[in-house]
Amino acid sequence: MATRRRVLAALGIGLALPLPAIARLARGERTPGIAAERQSGLPHRVVLPLVGTDGPRPEVRLSFRTPYQGGAIYVEVRHGVSGSVRLFGRTSPLSPGPAGVEGFVGIAVLDPPGPATLEVTATDVAGGTFRFAEPITVRATQWTSDDIWLPPPDPNAPPPKEPPLEPEQPRLDALYAAVTPRQWTLPFIIPIELGGDVWVSGYFGEQRSFNGGPRTGHHGGTDIAAPAGTPVRSTNHGTVVMSELTLVRGNLVVVDHGGGILSCYGHLSERTVAVGQTVRRGEVVGRVGSTGLSSGPHLHWELSVAGVLVDGLRWLDGTQGF
């Protein structure tokens, strides 16, 4: 594509020219006034009709525009070199991809249903900044509910030899807020294939009652029941940023996929990776167990987008457009 910068360099001039003068230049003829203009010492500029700016204008593409609460949107800005997206006061980063920059925007469980505006900011190769206002409509999710019964503490159990663990949530929140270079590629996969004695035992966002109490809150992940020892695989490429025994999630592994995307694997009987280790999509990071606050062998799987927990199952079936 002919750009203004390339044309200026080729002509070696800085004068606003009418169309006849441009035609004479193209034929190699002398154009009156150019020499005098150069000698004046005044600033010059060239106005060239039908010549574009420096490179194609960025274009925004959304995977779809009607996400559910707990869902996500895949955002691509073609011809952009950097960018970000704001929704409900939160900013999600965009990372370099094959055609520009791309990334995901998470819809939180408490984000209000109805019309909203997704604000995209992008920079092109020439350093220009572009802003787009993309309309979307958030759809309400009908949350499931569950009653969970946990056995009371054993009064005859010996006192613990070590002090109780601190809750892991503040540390998880800090990890989920970090933005590192992108490692993920599409598609994302489920950590354990469903079927037979493996099934979804707890859905993302469901409201729970413990031991007969009121149903409150929203479950932050997907629970997958499976036999103890079943291998748990990373949902995508990334780097292990946490691998330890925690208070609620038991043996826990967190993988940072870059670009603000992280996944969490809890209640493991065994952790098979260490902090700082890189893993590939499908690589085993641990084995199913019932450690921490758990009523039986299962995997607790979380997926975070720029600090917003989202429904990982929606990333697997193409219903969100990716």
Side-chain angles (χ1 to χ4, degrees), residues 38-319:
R38 281 179 173 170
Q39 293 173 2
S40 70
L42 297 175
H44 313 300
R45 66 185 179 89
V46 171
V47 178
L48 299 177
L50 304 181
V51 177
T53 57
D54 292 287
R57 177 185 174 89
E59 303 173 6
V60 175
R61 299 187 178 187
L62 307 183
S63 60
F64 75 148
R65 295 178 182 269
T66 55
Y68 280 99
Q69 293 169 310
I73 300 174
Y74 173 62
V75 181
E76 180 184 30
V77 183
R78 297 201 166 212
H79 315 303
V81 296
S82 65
S84 62
V85 184
R86 281 188 65 80
L87 181 65
F88 297 121
R90 304 183 301 264
T91 300
S92 300
L94 299 176
S95 303
V101 290
E102 55 193 9
F104 301 91
V105 176
I107 314 299
V109 293
L110 298 180
D111 283 344
T117 300
L118 195 142
E119 302 170 3
V120 182
T121 301
T123 302
D124 69 0
V125 67
T129 299
F130 297 81
R131 292 179 174 83
F132 305 85
E134 300 291 334
I136 65 170
T137 300
V138 177
R139 291 186 280 180
T141 296
Q142 299 300 313
W143 305 111
T144 59
S145 60
D146 195 11
D147 298 309
I148 297 177
W149 295 88
L150 296 173
D154 183 359
N156 299 317
K161 297 180 180 180
E162 298 180 358
L165 297 168
E166 292 292 326
E168 67 270 19
Q169 194 60 54
R171 295 178 56 202
L172 281 177
D173 291 342
L175 288 173
Y176 288 167
V179 178
T180 60
R182 169 184 171 177
Q183 299 183 62
W184 61 265
T185 61
L186 293 175
F188 286 72
I189 65 171
I190 195 168
I192 309 174
E193 288 293 336
L194 303 178
D197 52 4
V198 178
W199 74 93
V200 175
S201 58
Y203 287 92
F204 172 85
E206 74 179 10
Q207 298 183 298
R208 292 177 162 183
S209 164
F210 289 92
N211 294 346
R215 292 190 178 97
T216 58
H218 291 274
H219 186 219
T222 301
D223 286 346
I224 302 175
T230 301
V232 174
R233 304 180 186 279
S234 178
T235 190
N236 214 306
H237 316 310
T239 300
V240 178
V241 292
M242 190 173 183
S243 177
E244 63 185 71
L245 179 64
T246 63
L247 179 65
V248 177
R249 295 169 179 80
N251 276 317
L252 174 67
V253 169
V254 178
V255 178
D256 183 355
H257 306 289
I261 313 299
L262 292 93
S263 59
C264 161
Y265 312 84
H267 305 304
L268 303 173
S269 62
E270 177 187 0
R271 294 173 278 113
T272 60
V273 291
V275 172
Q277 182 177 338
T278 57
V279 295
R280 303 297 294 171
R281 178 175 48 228
E283 186 172 339
V284 174
V285 297
R287 299 186 183 279
V288 169
S290 187
T291 55
L293 186 63
S294 172
S295 58
H298 74 286
L299 168 69
H300 173 82
W301 172 42
E302 289 182 11
L303 194 61
S304 173
V305 178
V308 176
L309 294 178
V310 296
D311 186 353
L313 292 179
R314 292 188 183 275
W315 292 53
L316 308 175
D317 58 9
T319 56

